[in-house]
Amino acid sequence: MSRIRLPLFTILLLALAGTAFAKGPPGGTIYAHDVAYRTVGTPTDFPDQGNFDTIYVLGGELANVSDAAPGDMDYNGGRWEVRPITWVSISPMQFTNAEDIHAAAQAGQIEIGEVVKRFECPLIRARN
């Protein structure tokens, strides 16, 4: 099966997202536990110490996915580490929860990359 690699694209996307975060609202959509959240980007960077939740960058037009959300017992208040997804044996698709991402990684369908950025931004539940 062919490997679809997006790391360079993902890094460029993150660089552009960092610029957008510095400008403030409106932010993008991030899914957590099958619920859509909006973000308000803040121009912060953190060193690689402390507690963070993970945002998985799916790439392209797909919304990112978080492994935590407000209300979770272990939610770190919007402190994030960003990990890009590489599509290995499936076509890019919208995941809406971290459990499905982990299952796809275990099945060898995707690869979860190393941390490429740490920052802070809140998650605000999107209204339907």
Side-chain angles (χ1 to χ4, degrees):
M1 292 185 195
S2 67
R3 291 175 72 95
I4 301 170
R5 294 252 176 215
L6 297 178
L8 179 57
F9 173 76
T10 302
I11 291 169
L12 292 173
L13 181 65
L14 288 171
L16 292 174
T19 303
F21 281 140
K23 295 178 185 176
T29 298
I30 294 178
Y31 283 98
H33 313 307
D34 302 315
V35 174
Y37 289 84
R38 303 296 290 168
T39 64
V40 177
T42 58
T44 56
D45 284 307
F46 288 107
D48 59 352
Q49 57 190 351
N51 296 324
F52 296 88
D53 296 309
T54 301
I55 292 177
Y56 301 98
V57 176
L58 305 183
E61 302 281 323
L62 300 172
N64 297 334
V65 176
S66 166
D67 68 352
D72 290 356
M73 291 293 290
D74 58 351
Y75 180 60
N76 290 296
R79 291 172 51 94
W80 304 105
E81 60 182 24
V82 178
R83 294 177 178 264
I85 296 298
T86 300
W87 303 91
V88 177
S89 66
I90 59 174
S91 295
M93 58 184 278
Q94 183 64 65
F95 287 105
T96 59
N97 63 68
E99 294 78 17
D100 288 346
I101 288 174
H102 289 244
Q106 283 242 285
Q109 297 170 325
I110 64 171
E111 292 177 356
I112 300 171
E114 296 297 319
V115 173
V116 295
K117 184 174 179 70
R118 289 182 173 86
F119 67 96
E120 180 177 34
C121 79
L123 290 185
I124 304 159
R125 191 169 182 150
R127 295 181 186 220
N128 294 335

